[in-house]
Amino acid sequence: MELKGISKNAWLGATMLENGGSSGVLLTRRNRIQDEPPLETERPKEGKPWYFEKTNFIANLTALEKEQVVEISRLKYFNKGECLYLPDEPGNEIYLIKSGRVKSYLISHDGKEIILYIRYPGDIVGITAFCGIPRRTTYLETLKDTVVYAASIEDFYGFLSTRPHLMILLMKIMAARHHQAKILIQDLSINNAKKRLANFLLRSARERGTVLPDGLIRLQMDLSQEQIAQIIGTCRQTINRLLKSLRKEEFFQPEGRAIIIQEKKLMSLLEG
């Protein structure tokens, strides 16, 4: 797809945010636009709770629909640590993650980062703008080098308007995310740090893990202990201690950069 009048370095911006210390977090952006082949990603695995079944937008598109998404989109590259958007910016685009990983977060009054969610290849982000919320309310930052397809709200609406089945899919994605957010809020409200960590591992395994025989799930550990702490509301030292405890109690076993989770055993911990 040829984009006339748009340079490869479409725009470059920077802003400094306080992060609870003397030094700040420099957020830069560099978007480069070029042609790419149609989107490709794996389809979701079977046997998951309903709120994990339809959260991957790209995986539920046909080959033709993927090509049509490419036609209405601009390909943008972001380096690790760059922001796709900041709070209070106009919400003019939605993003489909082709590769990489992003986090949505807020910064508390005392400078601490609070991670709201992590999104992976195939996910759609920025959809609150599509729902009529005119400005961004969070930071969206890459956790690694990331490539996204960016479509204007108008073009994406036009794409969906003639495809009601995809509009229904988007509604299911939003409902699933709302349900997951409620689970997280409940978790933060009533569970101690050990149960919150167990719940995080179980949710992650069901959403992204590989199901093995005998009730085991292999989960790739692609987040740091600090990032996990920011998600479940504790500190890195506590995560380190609890991971050692869960491993000693054989709730999981390490396998390289992954862990093998005992799903039923984790569930019994949460039910106890």
Side-chain angles (χ1 to χ4, degrees):
M1 174 180 62
E2 182 181 358
L3 296 172
K4 297 181 179 179
I6 301 177
S7 64
K8 282 200 169 183
N9 291 321
W11 48 271
L12 180 64
T15 185
M16 187 70 73
L17 303 172
E18 291 183 0
N19 197 26
S22 58
S23 63
V25 179
L26 182 64
L27 302 177
T28 61
R29 308 176 180 189
R30 188 186 302 110
N31 302 339
R32 299 182 296 279
I33 304 169
Q34 68 177 44
D35 294 339
E36 279 290 318
L39 302 155
E40 293 295 340
T41 187
E42 292 183 0
R43 289 192 171 271
K45 301 175 179 65
E46 300 296 328
K48 299 177 180 178
W50 71 269
Y51 44 87
F52 287 140
E53 289 179 355
K54 296 292 185 181
T55 56
N56 189 309
F57 187 82
I58 294 177
N60 288 277
L61 300 179
T62 66
L64 177 59
E65 288 166 345
K66 291 177 183 178
E67 293 176 359
Q68 292 167 338
V69 166
V70 171
E71 290 175 0
I72 66 168
S73 303
R74 298 177 296 165
L75 192 68
K76 295 185 177 182
Y77 289 79
F78 294 86
N79 292 331
K80 179 181 178 180
E82 292 182 324
C83 274
L84 282 72
Y85 54 72
L86 307 175
D88 206 39
E89 286 189 343
N92 299 324
E93 294 180 318
I94 61 94
Y95 304 100
L96 291 163
I97 303 175
K98 184 179 187 298
S99 63
R101 189 164 65 245
V102 301
K103 64 177 178 180
S104 177
Y105 67 95
L106 296 170
I107 295 178
S108 66
H109 293 299
D110 58 356
K112 294 181 180 179
E113 191 174 295
I114 304 167
I115 296 179
L116 305 175
Y117 58 77
I118 310 291
R119 296 289 180 242
Y120 294 84
D123 285 333
I124 183 172
V125 291
I127 56 177
T128 54
F130 181 74
C131 301
I133 300 176
R135 292 190 174 273
R136 307 298 188 184
T137 58
T138 67
Y139 301 90
L140 190 70
E141 181 182 328
T142 60
L143 290 171
K144 59 188 299 187
D145 291 351
T146 298
V147 182
V148 301
Y149 283 88
S152 71
I153 298 302
E154 293 77 11
D155 286 344
F156 192 66
Y157 181 80
F159 171 72
L160 291 182
S161 64
T162 57
R163 299 165 180 83
H165 64 288
L166 293 182
M167 191 75 79
I168 293 173
L169 171 61
L170 192 62
M171 291 172 61
K172 289 181 178 180
I173 290 173
M174 295 172 65
R177 291 180 179 178
H178 177 69
H179 185 77
Q180 292 170 25
K182 288 199 300 182
I183 292 175
L184 180 59
I185 292 170
Q186 183 182 34
D187 204 25
L188 291 169
S189 302
I190 65 176
N191 285 332
N192 59 30
K194 185 174 184 177
K195 285 192 174 183
R196 295 202 303 271
L197 177 57
N199 221 340
F200 168 80
L201 293 175
L202 189 59
R203 290 196 308 267
S204 300
R206 287 174 169 175
E207 183 175 10
R208 300 183 287 105
T210 301
V211 178
L212 305 174
D214 302 322
L216 304 177
I217 305 178
R218 179 186 291 110
L219 174 64
Q220 196 71 23
M221 296 295 286
D222 48 21
L223 298 179
S224 68
Q225 292 184 10
E226 180 67 28
Q227 289 165 346
I228 295 173
Q230 291 167 347
I231 292 173
I232 71 168
T234 186
C235 63
R236 184 194 62 78
Q237 293 83 355
T238 299
I239 294 296
N240 183 272
R241 175 176 56 81
L242 291 176
L243 284 173
K244 290 179 180 178
S245 175
L246 290 174
R247 177 183 176 182
K248 184 176 181 180
E249 296 174 56
E250 298 185 346
F251 286 98
F252 71 84
Q253 292 298 324
E255 185 184 78
R257 295 184 62 85
I259 60 174
I260 307 299
I261 290 176
Q262 298 272 358
E263 182 181 18
K264 292 182 179 179
K265 196 169 183 178
L266 269 184
M267 291 176 63
S268 66
L269 171 64
L270 294 170
E271 293 168 357

